Amino acid sequence: MNRRKFFASTGLSAAGLMVSESLFGLDPKARAGQNWTAELPGKYDLMKEVMRYPKIDAHVHVDLGNSNPEAQKKFAEILIDYAERLNIRKLILSKPVTRLIKGIPDPSPEAFIDHNNIILGVMKHHPDKFTGSFTFNPVHLKASLDEIKRCVDQGMVGAKTYYQTKINNPAFYPIVEKMIDLKMIIHTHAETQLGVGGYRMKYNGRKPEQVSIPEDFVDIAKRYPEAMFQHAHIGGGGDWEYMCKALKHSPNVYVDTSGSNNEEHMIDFALQELGEDRLLFGSDNCYYQSVGKILASNLTEAQRKKIFFENFNNILKKGGHHVD
């Protein structure tokens, strides 16, 4: 049992005992032979605990539904406020979600170039806090390689893709090889479909055709063991237990802890299956709960430091972009 749960359960138990005896007309503190002088455990200062740990947010977005530069500047101020409140040293921004055309993300070079321009613009306003992950569509190979060079030259530190193309599509192979040369990680949106009624079914086609699933990461990671891949949002709403089990033997696939779902023991299970060196802190713009689920897990001090900061910083070091 972790500290927070222990305090909550012991505090409620003691309070319940005192109330129940009072209902029977007894003064629990006045009972002979009993010592009621001991105080309950001290208050747990959550924000003090939050601020103890510097953090890198390895999965955070600008305003995904907006292309207006002024609106993005205002949204950037929200991100800065979030970072200051939670001791986020660096935010790795991306905007990979291009507009949907009949349910399919716009695959055109114009779309991903426009989104990268938005990230570059936001980065310029707060270079001390923001860096970026460029997006692309490997089906357009030359345009993607040109865009990667442009974005790297302007300070971006990795890739972030959505579901325009699966991560193990052969079109990705030249891009993966380029990212190996750059010593940068490829971060990709991923989903893991839940079963129904306790039955763990295989994927039944209800997800968009090009969504990457854990088996796709296993495939590409085996083909390129020297590459680094980031499987997005363990808390993104899918079957996180299945995902962790599927990726267990793919040591070059990292998992970020982001997402709005915060089931108990999620982080502990991921640690058990994947190890402490492969978990990356991220919010996916779910700010406070993303920090809270790390603090609420049964992690050691060293493991918290790794997940919040050190693991992603070690990835950045490989390309010479680490946070001091």
Side-chain angles (χ1 to χ4, degrees), residues 20-300:
S20 64
E21 295 208 4
S22 296
L23 288 174
F24 285 99
L26 301 175
D27 182 354
K29 292 187 178 181
R31 292 180 61 192
Q34 299 291 332
N35 179 13
W36 292 90
T37 60
E39 295 182 359
L40 293 176
K43 180 181 178 182
Y44 178 66
D45 190 335
L46 177 59
M47 291 312 298
K48 182 178 180 181
E49 193 73 3
V50 167
M51 297 303 289
R52 285 180 58 212
Y53 300 97
K55 305 167 189 73
I56 298 173
D57 190 337
H59 185 164
V60 63
H61 303 293
V62 294
D63 187 342
L64 289 176
N66 202 311
S67 295
N68 182 283
E70 292 305 313
Q72 291 291 358
K73 287 181 185 178
K74 291 179 180 179
F75 193 83
E77 295 305 318
I78 296 173
L79 294 176
I80 290 295
D81 182 57
Y82 144 66
E84 291 177 349
R85 288 172 183 266
L86 299 179
N87 196 11
I88 312 289
R89 295 276 303 281
K90 189 72 75 172
L91 296 91
I92 314 299
L93 300 178
S94 64
K95 195 177 190 298
V97 184
T98 55
R99 67 189 180 96
L100 298 181
I101 303 173
K102 296 182 179 180
I104 300 173
D106 185 346
S108 69
E110 292 78 15
F112 62 72
I113 290 170
D114 178 63
H115 282 212
N116 288 333
N117 284 337
I118 290 170
I119 297 296
L120 289 167
V122 173
M123 285 170 57
K124 290 176 182 177
H125 292 294
H126 296 280
D128 57 324
K129 286 290 186 183
F130 295 147
T131 187
S133 293
F134 44 82
T135 194
F136 55 87
N137 186 346
V139 170
H140 303 285
L141 180 58
K142 184 179 185 306
S144 293
L145 289 172
D146 289 346
E147 186 65 357
I148 289 171
K149 183 180 186 308
R150 181 180 79 99
C151 292
V152 169
D153 287 347
Q154 296 190 54
M156 290 197 187
V157 298
K160 175 67 169 79
T161 62
Y162 194 43
Y163 61 77
Q164 289 88 344
T165 307
K166 273 183 175 286
I167 185 66
N168 64 334
N169 187 308
F172 251 107
Y173 296 170
I175 302 292
V176 174
E177 292 164 10
K178 179 64 177 178
M179 297 298 287
I180 291 170
D181 292 341
L182 292 170
K183 297 181 174 62
M184 292 181 177
I185 196 165
I186 301 173
H187 181 193
T188 296
H189 174 87
E191 298 188 23
T192 312
Q193 185 168 305
L194 289 166
V196 175
Y199 172 61
R200 179 71 186 106
M201 59 189 173
K202 296 299 279 186
Y203 298 90
N204 63 5
R206 294 179 183 171
K207 296 292 183 182
E209 183 179 355
Q210 295 301 320
V211 168
S212 296
I213 61 176
E215 290 85 348
D216 299 328
F217 283 82
V218 171
D219 181 43
I220 192 71
K222 184 177 180 180
R223 183 180 182 88
Y224 290 104
E226 66 275 47
M228 297 181 289
F229 302 94
Q230 181 176 335
H231 184 292
H233 42 56
I234 185 177
D239 189 335
W240 47 270
E241 289 184 334
Y242 178 81
M243 179 271 290
C244 291
K245 291 177 182 179
L247 297 176
K248 184 170 186 174
H249 301 296
S250 299
N252 55 329
V253 179
Y254 298 79
V255 172
D256 72 61
T257 61
S258 71
S260 59
N261 292 311
N262 304 290
E263 290 94 335
E264 189 171 16
H265 304 309
M266 177 189 289
I267 303 302
D268 297 316
F269 187 86
L271 180 73
Q272 170 190 308
E273 296 297 313
L274 303 172
E276 62 191 42
D277 297 322
R278 293 172 58 194
L279 299 182
L280 309 174
F281 168 71
S283 70
D284 200 8
N285 298 71
C286 302
Y287 309 120
Y288 294 97
Q289 58 266 53
S290 65
V291 175
K293 63 186 169 188
I294 304 296
L295 295 180
S297 301
N298 297 304
L299 304 175
T300 66

